[in-house]
Amino acid sequence: MLDNAAIAELLIREAEGADGHREKAFRRAAHEAFMWPEEAAALVAAGRSLQDLAGIGPSLAKRLHRWIDSPPDVVVPAIRREFLTLVQARSVLAKNPGWSVRLNGDLQMHTTWSDGAGTVAEMATAAVQRGYKFIGITDHTQGLKIAGGLDESRLQAQGREIVALNKQLRQQKIEFTVLRSAEVNLSPDGQGDMRSAALRKLDLVLGCFHSSLRRTEDQTSRYIAGLRNPDIQILGHPQTRVYNRREGLKADWSKVFTEAARLDKAVEIDGYADRQDLRVSLLKIARKAGVRISLGTDAHHPDQLAFMELSLAAAALAKIPTDRIINFMSVTQLKEWVASVRASAQSRPKVAGGSVRSRQASSLS
């Protein structure tokens, strides 16, 4: 059976040979295919309309019918390889039912404070509906101006809003906590874009690379510098790959994950459908190193919290031990881990990374 991943590949190939509105239609459908709730071929077998699927109109439905009736050979290039579909993820999670039950929260998402489309309250409401106990609000910081990054004053104002929301949740007897966090922009040499004094007031800090993302030479030293930045606890979307746009940076991943484990820091599985970073093959290396894993959707809208199934399934496929996944901690345990990592960082000699470098990223994620 031609599955949705293969259909996405065929659609993106058609987009590369098309132009105008046809190109846009093919590209949109290719991206939508990863989040279709059912296999397109199963809909055909059941006699249902392919137009029930997002991004599929009459013309594309005919094209899909031809492919499903006579499946072509599909070889996926590296830039589009190892991306799970929602159907695949749900199949994995059905075989590991305890994982979804143990999941307590989502540790990367964006709001209207930076480049998101949902408010803090809207993201929290959607998370409560999913049965979570906490979320981390990780809006961008000031170095990423194109994404509306927060300076210290706006970060403090957001913090006051989060404090007020948490108070309201307690009054309503809702067992849920919104964590003050941020996605700090890391320079290629591991420096952050905000003062340590401001970041230490947060519950949790995610660090991500957003510049010089198409370098082809080994970037191991960049990752080591980023991990040694004393202000961050999680290295977000580490490989920096984006579906059909960027294959991601290269590194000696065993060394990177071993260093993260030594520092007791976490590396992320960013579940955004176009990212899915770290990919499963790298997660297997991470498992061997014993590093902690953080799960985040990188959601920019409440509906995108659904990307968590992709993160969770990737961890399950890689057989990450459940005690290494920080989203399975209680909020108290999570805060204790952050405090421990911070204390260890303060006790170490000062190394590269950690000082402020405020600048606009030249190549965005």
Side-chain angles (χ1 to χ4, degrees), residues 283-301:
L283 285 169
K284 291 177 180 178
I285 300 173
R287 181 194 67 215
K288 292 178 182 178
V291 66
R292 291 189 189 273
I293 299 294
S294 176
L295 308 177
T297 57
D298 206 348
H300 286 64
H301 184 279

Side-chain angles (χ1 to χ4, degrees), residues 278-335:
L278 292 160
R279 62 187 183 190
V280 173
S281 58
L282 292 184
L283 285 169
K284 291 177 180 178
I285 300 173
R287 181 194 67 215
K288 292 178 182 178
V291 66
R292 291 189 189 273
I293 299 294
S294 176
L295 308 177
T297 57
D298 206 348
H300 286 64
H301 184 279
D303 290 348
Q304 293 177 345
L305 294 182
F307 293 153
M308 180 54 73
E309 290 176 270
L310 301 176
S311 291
L312 201 58
L317 279 172
K319 295 182 170 57
I320 302 297
T322 55
D323 65 356
R324 305 310 292 165
I325 299 175
I326 64 175
N327 306 65
F328 289 175
M329 294 177 174
S330 67
V331 70
T332 300
Q333 291 169 331
L334 185 63
K335 288 182 176 182

Side-chain angles (χ1 to χ4, degrees), residues 211-222:
S211 59
S212 302
L213 302 182
R214 288 181 170 81
R215 291 182 178 175
T216 57
E217 68 272 23
D218 183 276
Q219 296 291 296
T220 304
S221 60
R222 178 203 290 224

Side-chain angles (χ1 to χ4, degrees), residues 219-236:
Q219 296 291 296
T220 304
S221 60
R222 178 203 290 224
Y223 286 105
I224 299 299
L227 286 166
R228 289 178 180 173
N229 183 314
D231 294 331
I232 74 164
Q233 294 84 49
I234 301 170
L235 184 64

